[in-house]
PDB file of all heavy atoms in Angstrom:
ATOM      1  N   THR B 228      -8.487  23.137  57.601  1.00 85.00           N
ATOM      2  CA  THR B 228      -7.964  23.744  58.808  1.00 85.00           C
ATOM      3  C   THR B 228      -6.644  24.393  58.478  1.00 85.00           C
ATOM      4  O   THR B 228      -5.944  23.957  57.545  1.00 85.00           O
ATOM      5  CB  THR B 228      -7.793  22.709  59.907  1.00 85.00           C
ATOM      6  OG1 THR B 228      -6.878  21.700  59.459  1.00 85.00           O
ATOM      7  CG2 THR B 228      -9.102  22.018  60.307  1.00 85.00           C
ATOM      8  N   THR B 229      -6.258  25.368  59.252  1.00 84.00           N
ATOM      9  CA  THR B 229      -4.983  26.085  58.994  1.00 84.00           C
ATOM     10  C   THR B 229      -3.808  25.112  59.051  1.00 84.00           C
ATOM     11  O   THR B 229      -2.903  25.178  58.180  1.00 84.00           O
ATOM     12  CB  THR B 229      -4.797  27.177  60.099  1.00 84.00           C
ATOM     13  OG1 THR B 229      -6.019  27.846  60.248  1.00 84.00           O
ATOM     14  CG2 THR B 229      -3.699  28.109  59.736  1.00 84.00           C
ATOM     15  N   GLU B 230      -3.901  24.192  59.986  1.00 83.00           N
ATOM     16  CA  GLU B 230      -2.795  23.226  60.123  1.00 83.00           C
ATOM     17  C   GLU B 230      -2.640  22.345  58.873  1.00 83.00           C
ATOM     18  O   GLU B 230      -1.523  22.181  58.352  1.00 83.00           O
ATOM     19  CB  GLU B 230      -3.101  22.361  61.347  1.00 83.00           C
ATOM     20  CG  GLU B 230      -1.920  21.591  61.903  1.00 83.00           C
ATOM     21  CD  GLU B 230      -2.338  20.753  63.077  1.00 83.00           C
ATOM     22  OE1 GLU B 230      -3.158  21.268  63.907  1.00 83.00           O
ATOM     23  OE2 GLU B 230      -1.936  19.600  63.173  1.00 83.00           O
ATOM     24  N   ARG B 231      -3.722  21.884  58.357  1.00 83.00           N
ATOM     25  CA  ARG B 231      -3.698  20.986  57.187  1.00 83.00           C
ATOM     26  C   ARG B 231      -3.242  21.764  55.963  1.00 83.00           C
ATOM     27  O   ARG B 231      -2.437  21.234  55.144  1.00 83.00           O
ATOM     28  CB  ARG B 231      -5.077  20.379  56.932  1.00 83.00           C
ATOM     29  CG  ARG B 231      -5.278  19.124  57.754  1.00 83.00           C
ATOM     30  CD  ARG B 231      -6.548  18.464  57.296  1.00 83.00           C
ATOM     31  NE  ARG B 231      -6.633  17.074  57.774  1.00 83.00           N
ATOM     32  CZ  ARG B 231      -7.719  16.458  57.961  1.00 83.00           C
ATOM     33  NH1 ARG B 231      -8.860  17.054  57.761  1.00 83.00           N
ATOM     34  NH2 ARG B 231      -7.704  15.173  58.371  1.00 83.00           N
ATOM     35  N   VAL B 232      -3.756  22.954  55.843  1.00 83.00           N
ATOM     36  CA  VAL B 232      -3.369  23.748  54.677  1.00 83.00           C
ATOM     37  C   VAL B 232      -1.867  24.049  54.739  1.00 83.00           C
ATOM     38  O   VAL B 232      -1.176  23.962  53.713  1.00 83.00           O
ATOM     39  CB  VAL B 232      -4.170  25.072  54.601  1.00 83.00           C
ATOM     40  CG1 VAL B 232      -3.629  26.001  53.578  1.00 83.00           C
ATOM     41  CG2 VAL B 232      -5.631  24.757  54.332  1.00 83.00           C
ATOM     42  N   PHE B 233      -1.361  24.370  55.904  1.00 81.00           N
ATOM     43  CA  PHE B 233       0.020  24.651  56.014  1.00 81.00           C
ATOM     44  C   PHE B 233       0.849  23.389  55.701  1.00 81.00           C
ATOM     45  O   PHE B 233       1.876  23.491  55.030  1.00 81.00           O
ATOM     46  CB  PHE B 233       0.350  25.096  57.490  1.00 81.00           C
ATOM     47  CG  PHE B 233       1.801  25.454  57.684  1.00 81.00           C
ATOM     48  CD1 PHE B 233       2.336  26.637  57.180  1.00 81.00           C
ATOM     49  CD2 PHE B 233       2.606  24.544  58.318  1.00 81.00           C
ATOM     50  CE1 PHE B 233       3.658  26.915  57.380  1.00 81.00           C
ATOM     51  CE2 PHE B 233       3.993  24.869  58.486  1.00 81.00           C
ATOM     52  CZ  PHE B 233       4.502  26.033  58.020  1.00 81.00           C
ATOM     53  N   GLN B 234       0.362  22.259  56.168  1.00 79.00           N
ATOM     54  CA  GLN B 234       1.059  21.011  55.890  1.00 79.00           C
ATOM     55  C   GLN B 234       1.107  20.720  54.353  1.00 79.00           C
ATOM     56  O   GLN B 234       2.146  20.304  53.808  1.00 79.00           O
ATOM     57  CB  GLN B 234       0.361  19.848  56.569  1.00 79.00           C
ATOM     58  CG  GLN B 234       0.856  19.557  57.949  1.00 79.00           C
ATOM     59  CD  GLN B 234       0.159  18.383  58.601  1.00 79.00           C
ATOM     60  OE1 GLN B 234      -0.825  17.849  58.063  1.00 79.00           O
ATOM     61  NE2 GLN B 234       0.639  17.939  59.731  1.00 79.00           N
ATOM     62  N   ALA B 235      -0.037  20.967  53.745  1.00 79.00           N
ATOM     63  CA  ALA B 235      -0.107  20.670  52.291  1.00 79.00           C
ATOM     64  C   ALA B 235       0.756  21.636  51.461  1.00 79.00           C
ATOM     65  O   ALA B 235       1.412  21.197  50.543  1.00 79.00           O
ATOM     66  CB  ALA B 235      -1.565  20.769  51.844  1.00 79.00           C
ATOM     67  N   PHE B 236       0.685  22.875  51.741  1.00 79.00           N
ATOM     68  CA  PHE B 236       1.357  23.872  50.932  1.00 79.00           C
ATOM     69  C   PHE B 236       2.696  24.382  51.528  1.00 79.00           C
ATOM     70  O   PHE B 236       3.505  24.887  50.799  1.00 79.00           O
ATOM     71  CB  PHE B 236       0.496  25.068  50.667  1.00 79.00           C
ATOM     72  CG  PHE B 236      -0.756  24.731  49.844  1.00 79.00           C
ATOM     73  CD1 PHE B 236      -1.991  24.536  50.462  1.00 79.00           C
ATOM     74  CD2 PHE B 236      -0.669  24.582  48.509  1.00 79.00           C
ATOM     75  CE1 PHE B 236      -3.086  24.217  49.720  1.00 79.00           C
ATOM     76  CE2 PHE B 236      -1.759  24.323  47.767  1.00 79.00           C
ATOM     77  CZ  PHE B 236      -3.017  24.118  48.403  1.00 79.00           C
ATOM     78  N   GLY B 237       2.826  24.197  52.803  1.00 71.00           N
ATOM     79  CA  GLY B 237       4.006  24.751  53.499  1.00 71.00           C
ATOM     80  C   GLY B 237       5.301  24.164  53.038  1.00 71.00           C
ATOM     81  O   GLY B 237       6.300  24.835  52.937  1.00 71.00           O
ATOM     82  N   ALA B 238       5.268  22.871  52.702  1.00 54.00           N
ATOM     83  CA  ALA B 238       6.520  22.212  52.331  1.00 54.00           C
ATOM     84  C   ALA B 238       6.990  22.636  50.955  1.00 54.00           C
ATOM     85  O   ALA B 238       8.135  22.420  50.627  1.00 54.00           O
ATOM     86  CB  ALA B 238       6.299  20.699  52.351  1.00 54.00           C
ATOM     87  N   THR B 239       6.112  23.253  50.139  1.00 51.00           N
ATOM     88  CA  THR B 239       6.532  23.660  48.777  1.00 51.00           C
ATOM     89  C   THR B 239       6.702  25.176  48.786  1.00 51.00           C
ATOM     90  O   THR B 239       6.038  25.875  49.507  1.00 51.00           O
ATOM     91  CB  THR B 239       5.498  23.238  47.746  1.00 51.00           C
ATOM     92  OG1 THR B 239       4.309  23.905  48.044  1.00 51.00           O
ATOM     93  CG2 THR B 239       5.345  21.727  47.747  1.00 51.00           C
TER      94      THR B 239
END
Side-chain angles (χ1 to χ4, degrees):
Chain B
T228 60
T229 314
E230 197 179 321
R231 273 189 164 154
V232 170
F233 181 76
Q234 270 181 351
F236 295 99
T239 62

